[in-house]
Amino acid sequence: MSNFIIEQRNNIWYGSFPLLRKLGFINACSCRLHGESILAEGMLNLALHVDDDADKVLANRRTFAAAIGVQAQRFTTCRQVHGSKIVRITEDLAGSGALCLDDTIAETDALITDLPDVPLLLFFADCVPVLLADIKSGAIGLAHAGWRGTVAGIAAKTAAAMMEQFKSRPENIIAAIGPSIGACCYEVDDFVYSQADAYKDCFVSFGKGKYHMDLWAINKKQLLAQGLVEKNIITAGVCTGHNKELFCSYRAEHGKTGRMGVCLCRPAKV
């Protein structure tokens, strides 16, 4: 079974982790195809914060929701700021940011919940999505890990929050690292290198204060240090910089792009 596949339903293309789906979790990383946007023709942009037409974004969200089997009005979002704040989603917070930015959860980069039918939705254009699912309790977490969030340990802190809030055990958590910029394309400078003293082995220098940074490797190291089992950490291995025809890439598109939506949800039992 492949770690990550691209599939299509109702003319909407998205990537997913078959293992998570087999274990009962809806998961999807939207592709940019067959949507509506003023940013680029036909783009399935799912983010309201990037100066796109709001009606088109909401139409894209409804189309995406229908394709993956969740309720668009239950999408639960946050205003990502490259930090390490984590918020637990209770029923009164479900649907935050689904229809407008005004009620999205402020200044947060990871969401956790133990509720069914709450599709967590975060937005990406090169940063690392980390999906976390407890196979015993059904609790889930979704983290946004840019380089700052990665250095701050956002993914491992999200797993730790699940352990604290939901009594999740690390050996029961599956972690999936989604499409994002790979070390092949992620060039950083001395400043970024200096912020990651514990992870120098995840950089490759190519001279004049320039490095390639492996965000996937750093996040995996942190999750292992948190107690997760190596075989339970899977990586899509898809670089958004090399695949901008499928996924939004802030770097490859010089900042002029929409955002991929990454959704994780545990459906209610029927």
Side-chain angles (χ1 to χ4, degrees):
M1 179 171 60
S2 298
N3 281 348
F4 186 78
I5 61 172
I6 302 295
E7 51 192 321
Q8 182 260 352
R9 186 178 180 188
N10 298 343
N11 204 37
I12 295 298
W13 293 83
Y14 56 91
S16 69
F17 293 90
L19 176 60
L20 286 177
R21 184 166 57 193
K22 180 180 178 181
L23 294 169
F25 298 93
I26 294 171
N27 72 101
C29 305
S30 68
C31 295
R32 65 186 299 154
L33 308 174
H34 308 304
E36 302 179 42
S37 174
I38 63 173
L39 300 176
E41 184 177 356
M43 178 186 288
L44 190 82
N45 168 47
L46 294 182
L48 286 166
H49 69 280
V50 291
D51 297 323
D52 203 348
D53 180 88
D55 289 338
K56 294 183 185 297
V57 174
L58 295 179
N60 289 341
R61 289 186 181 183
R62 290 191 296 270
T63 302
F64 179 59
I68 67 174
V70 300
Q71 302 174 65
Q73 69 271 23
R74 297 277 287 174
F75 276 139
T76 304
T77 73
C78 55
R79 190 182 294 272
Q80 299 154 210
V81 292
H82 298 279
S84 58
K85 181 180 175 182
I86 302 157
V87 169
R88 177 178 179 174
I89 303 304
T90 52
E91 185 57 41
D92 61 317
L93 289 175
S96 296
L99 302 178
C100 66
L101 274 176
D102 293 344
D103 67 344
T104 195
I105 296 166
E107 298 184 345
T108 296
D109 282 87
L111 304 174
I112 61 173
T113 191
D114 59 349
L115 299 176
D117 286 337
V118 177
L120 307 180
L121 181 68
L122 270 58
F123 308 103
F124 302 84
D126 287 337
C127 291
V128 182
V130 182
L131 300 80
L132 301 165
D134 182 339
I135 61 175
K136 295 296 184 181
S137 72
I140 58 173
L142 181 58
H144 165 256
W147 79 260
R148 292 181 185 276
T150 294
V151 170
I154 181 68
K157 288 177 179 177
T158 304
M162 292 171 63
M163 296 175 205
E164 178 183 352
Q165 296 285 322
F166 310 132
K167 308 305 179 187
S168 296
R169 296 181 61 85
E171 64 269 24
N172 294 331
I173 297 176
I174 303 294
I177 297 171
S180 45
I181 198 158
C184 51
C185 290
Y186 195 33
E187 179 184 319
V188 299
D189 58 17
D190 275 327
F191 175 75
V192 176
Y193 182 74
S194 71
Q195 302 301 300
D197 286 336
Y199 306 105
K200 299 306 189 191
D201 59 333
C202 296
F203 291 78
V204 174
S205 172
F206 56 97
K208 298 182 179 179
K210 300 294 184 182
Y211 309 84
H212 285 294
M213 182 180 188
D214 191 340
L215 294 173
W216 304 343
I218 297 175
N219 279 281
K220 182 175 181 179
K221 279 177 174 284
Q222 293 173 345
L223 291 167
L224 288 170
Q226 195 60 52
L228 273 68
V229 180
E230 184 162 12
K231 68 180 179 64
N232 290 341
I233 304 172
I234 54 179
T235 302
V238 175
C239 172
T240 47
H242 269 126
N243 292 277
K244 65 181 186 294
E245 74 284 353
L246 273 181
F247 299 104
C248 298
S249 174
Y250 190 88
R251 286 205 167 198
E253 298 175 83
H254 309 290
K256 298 179 180 179
T257 190
R259 297 295 186 272
M260 165 180 69
V262 175
C263 180
L264 181 62
C265 179
R266 173 171 62 90
K269 294 181 179 179
V270 295

